[in-house]
Amino acid sequence: MNKAVVLLSGGMDSATVLGLAREKHDEVIAVSFDYGSKHKDAEMESAEQVAQFYRVERRLITIPKIEGSALTDEDQALPTGRKLEEMDGVAPSYVPARNTILLALAASVADQMGANVIYYGAHREENVSYPDCRPSFAQAMSRAICLGTKNGVSVETPFIHGGKSEIVKKAVEIGVPLHLTHSCYQGKKPACGVCDTCQIRIDAFKKAGYRDPIPYEIDIDWRD
């Protein structure tokens, strides 16, 4: 049987990757992680709803809080109101070595279930802000995991060379339940619309020519 594991955060990117994996594989297990982020409650709720939509098993793995990030440390504020052109360099929300840890744990799940591939939703616009979303990192992790697992598990990143607007287009094309997804790093529902991840999501929908189906706290002119 053709099996796969998908890292499912509950965000738009991972939900779209899950949709793609469901089309290609006989069995898919979604793996979510609680690593102590500020938006974990909203994130986990969305991840569960997306998993239910696709009728896949979802496993939640809780690990010790990963400190050293504005996404996890209470004394570090997440930036809000920044313009897209101001978002340069490693993001304050970068969680140290997060994807190294999560992919290693997902590899264990994949090897146990006899899967030979792990998917995660890194994309081009994260290449600068998040070192563990760069193509070179994904390639190196795939090689290391393949060498260190019984089943030769590899890592696939379908959008790592594409922009987030391309994810929006693909999601609409294959019927991903975008209304169930959550991106706001402040963990708000409705989404705040002003944190970096909200700004990037809004911009992606505008570039793709669609209106985001989730509600926001602020008014957004989708005709821009």
Side-chain angles (χ1 to χ4, degrees):
M1 182 178 287
N2 191 6
K3 301 177 182 180
V5 169
V6 175
L7 270 60
L8 180 66
S9 68
M12 178 178 74
D13 309 332
S14 64
T16 305
V17 170
L18 177 57
L20 291 174
R22 285 289 285 128
E23 291 184 339
K24 295 176 62 176
H25 299 274
D26 300 316
E27 182 181 346
V28 176
I29 288 182
V31 181
S32 302
F33 299 90
D34 178 357
Y35 54 89
S37 70
K38 295 175 181 176
H39 67 314
K40 66 179 181 180
D41 291 341
E43 190 175 57
M44 292 301 99
E45 180 182 0
S46 289
E48 182 60 27
Q49 290 174 346
V50 170
Q52 289 179 3
F53 177 89
Y54 281 111
R55 298 181 181 179
V56 299
E57 177 187 347
R58 173 176 168 263
R59 298 185 186 179
L60 173 61
I61 299 176
T62 301
I63 61 177
K65 180 180 178 180
I66 306 175
E67 299 181 340
S69 167
L71 191 58
T72 57
D73 293 358
E74 293 301 328
D75 61 348
Q76 291 193 53
L78 286 160
T80 59
R82 294 199 299 172
K83 296 179 180 179
L84 291 171
E85 58 269 20
E86 296 173 347
M87 299 178 193
D88 191 24
V90 176
S93 55
Y94 163 69
V95 180
R98 175 179 61 181
N99 285 338
T100 303
I101 297 166
L102 305 192
L103 286 168
L105 291 169
S108 178
V109 174
D111 223 21
Q112 291 169 35
M113 65 179 279
N116 59 11
V117 62
I118 303 165
Y119 291 91
Y120 84 112
H123 57 84
R124 184 180 62 220
E125 288 149 343
E126 293 179 323
N127 289 179
V128 173
S129 300
Y130 301 97
D132 53 2
C133 289
R134 294 171 183 166
S136 55
F137 167 81
Q139 291 166 6
M141 279 299 293
S142 182
R143 178 63 174 160
I145 289 172
C146 183
L147 288 171
T149 49
K150 177 180 66 177
N151 294 308
V153 180
S154 64
V155 175
E156 295 287 338
T157 50
F159 298 111
I160 203 161
H161 296 293
K164 201 173 181 77
S165 61
E166 295 175 43
I167 297 177
V168 173
K169 292 176 182 178
K170 177 57 70 172
V172 172
E173 177 188 329
I174 65 176
V176 176
L178 293 171
H179 63 288
L180 299 178
T181 62
H182 171 85
S183 299
C184 179
Y185 269 178
Q186 296 205 73
K188 293 186 175 182
K189 289 190 176 183
C192 74
V194 295
C195 71
D196 287 1
T197 48
C198 280
Q199 289 284 307
I200 292 169
R201 176 171 174 144
I202 291 166
D203 182 67
F205 271 89
K206 287 182 177 182
K207 286 180 178 176
Y210 294 101
R211 182 187 180 111
D212 193 343
I214 70 168
Y216 287 89
E217 287 185 336
I218 62 173
D219 292 329
I220 300 166
D221 186 353
W222 294 104
R223 299 170 297 177
D224 289 355

